[in-house]
């Protein structure tokens, strides 16, 4: 099975190169994710890359109901 880096055909899911707040580095295909933190700064919006979204079960804002 061959897997290259170009897995996502750009359709209606906006993504891009940016800072992933979960693994603390730049990554491709980051999406805006809403984070609800208790006890710190309250709610916020951070970007997460696809692997981190899988690991942490994050749902991009655009995909939420
Ligand atoms: Zn990440």
């Amino acid at each position: 099975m061959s897997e290259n880096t170009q897995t996502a055909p750009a359709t209606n899911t906006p993504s891009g190169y940016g800072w992933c707040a979960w693994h603390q580095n730049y990554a491709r295909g980051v999406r805006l994710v809403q984070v609800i933190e208790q006890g710190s700064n309250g709610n916020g919006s951070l970007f997460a890359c696809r692997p981190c979204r899988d690991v942490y079960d994050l749902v991009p804002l655009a995909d939420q109901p």
Side-chain angles (χ1 to χ4, degrees), residues 19-25 27 30 47-53 56:
W19 179 265
C20 174
W22 273 262
H23 75 265
Q24 299 278 303
N25 209 334
V30 294
F47 288 92
C49 67
R50 177 183 288 183
C52 287
R53 293 201 308 272
Y56 296 100

